[in-house]
Amino acid sequence: MLRTLLGEKPRKNEGILKDAMEAMADTLELFQRQMHVDHDPTHDFRKLYIWTQGLISSLDELEQSCFAASHFRQKVKAGSTDDMTLLEKAEYARYVYFYKDGFIRCFAILDKLGTVLNEIFELNTTNVKTHYSYFTVLRQFGYDKLHYVLAKELIRIKDSYREPMSKLRRRRNMEIHYMNSEMQDDLWQLHQTLQGKVKLEDLDQHVVELRQGVDMVCETLKAAYGYINEKWHKQVLHQPKN
């Protein structure tokens, strides 16, 4: 959608994004098949089906936000907001909007996936923490020996993206719990200069980190849903309890 609005061709899914989308689409087919077989009297599979559909939509929106952030970043040439024209300030504001939307969506998707994993594998994470995150669920896998292979892979992915995800997480927390992340940057910059001009941070690096965040989310979804599909075909996965 955003590519069309920005005059670009529609996206063609490739690479890890395509792999993640296809893994989730395969799971939707498995849920549909199961609902056809037993009519899903407790609506457990219907719920998982809707959640997975939501994850597919959320991943699509995350990728679009990342693309839009990169698009508008290219239109920002000045090194300080004080040196921007009115038009460039508008482009910068658009970049900030989609950059923020991107890093917030990264963690929102992971948390939604955590809910799915907790439900399917009956991890009972709410016994540990009522309002849990994906990373809380990941720790719960350490106590579940049945799905050690998945836990090991998800931890490997988390560790391989530790640096960019830590930066994005810090910005997400500042944005949600404290103050706007760019305002925090501005305050720090004002303390460093006598001229009062706020120098922009490295926007190119920010975009790279956001893209890495998207890749981390894609790899995580691919691993999780790929494992679900494999277990389902082997008829090892049990139906979730009420």
Side-chain angles (χ1 to χ4, degrees):
M1 179 180 69
L2 289 178
R3 280 178 170 79
T4 302
L5 292 174
L6 296 174
E8 302 286 342
K9 294 181 179 179
R11 182 189 69 225
K12 180 180 179 181
N13 290 343
E14 297 177 332
I16 189 64
L17 175 67
K18 179 181 179 181
D19 293 341
M21 291 288 196
E22 289 181 348
M24 289 187 285
D26 288 345
T27 306
L28 288 181
E29 291 186 10
L30 293 173
F31 289 155
Q32 282 185 318
R33 193 179 310 162
Q34 188 67 45
M35 287 186 285
H36 178 73
V37 170
D38 63 8
H39 305 293
D40 193 24
T42 60
H43 302 290
D44 288 325
F45 289 101
R46 178 62 178 168
K47 177 172 63 178
L48 291 168
Y49 184 92
I50 292 172
W51 284 354
T52 301
Q53 277 187 320
L55 277 170
I56 292 174
S57 297
S58 294
L59 180 58
D60 174 58
E61 292 160 358
L62 169 59
E63 191 283 330
Q64 291 187 66
S65 289
C66 183
F67 172 82
S70 178
H71 174 89
F72 288 114
R73 185 274 167 272
Q74 301 304 317
K75 297 179 180 296
V76 178
K77 307 299 181 183
S80 165
T81 53
D82 293 322
D83 296 329
M84 291 180 184
T85 64
L86 288 176
L87 178 59
E88 193 171 3
K89 285 182 179 179
E91 302 287 20
Y92 175 65
R94 296 181 183 103
Y95 155 77
V96 169
Y97 175 88
F98 286 109
Y99 173 64
K100 283 185 188 179
D101 188 69
F103 64 66
I104 290 172
R105 283 184 183 277
C106 279
F107 294 96
I109 290 175
L110 290 175
D111 289 346
K112 290 176 183 178
L113 174 62
T115 300
V116 172
L117 296 177
N118 182 67
E119 182 81 6
I120 288 181
F121 298 119
E122 301 177 7
L123 298 176
N124 299 314
T125 309
T126 51
N127 293 340
V128 177
K129 193 173 183 180
T130 304
H131 302 290
Y132 56 84
S133 70
Y134 165 76
F135 299 99
T136 308
V137 173
L138 195 55
R139 286 192 292 272
Q140 282 297 100
F141 268 116
Y143 306 105
D144 190 315
K145 304 304 181 184
L146 288 176
H147 308 292
Y148 172 77
V149 173
L150 174 59
K152 184 178 180 180
E153 178 62 11
L154 295 179
I155 291 170
R156 183 198 67 77
I157 295 170
K158 175 180 72 72
D159 289 343
S160 66
Y161 287 93
R162 183 179 300 275
E163 183 175 351
M165 292 303 288
S166 293
K167 292 179 180 178
L168 293 176
R169 194 176 192 178
R170 176 179 65 84
R171 289 182 172 274
R172 189 282 307 264
N173 290 342
M174 287 169 57
E175 180 67 26
I176 293 177
H177 300 298
Y178 299 104
M179 62 176 70
N180 290 350
S181 55
E182 76 275 10
M183 287 175 61
Q184 186 80 341
D185 296 336
D186 292 352
L187 288 171
W188 184 87
Q189 288 282 354
L190 286 171
H191 283 299
Q192 307 303 311
T193 177
L194 296 176
Q195 289 78 24
K197 282 188 177 182
V198 178
K199 183 180 178 182
L200 297 182
E201 287 198 334
D202 190 338
L203 303 187
D204 287 331
Q205 183 61 29
H206 285 183
V207 170
V208 168
E209 291 164 357
L210 180 56
R211 285 173 176 161
Q212 290 173 322
V214 176
D215 288 345
M216 184 274 185
V217 169
C218 288
E219 287 193 31
T220 301
L221 288 168
K222 175 189 175 184
Y225 276 92
Y227 182 84
I228 291 169
N229 295 339
E230 179 183 357
K231 286 295 182 182
W232 200 292
H233 283 300
K234 291 180 178 179
Q235 297 182 339
V236 173
L237 186 64
H238 299 292
Q239 292 188 19
K241 297 177 181 178
N242 291 335

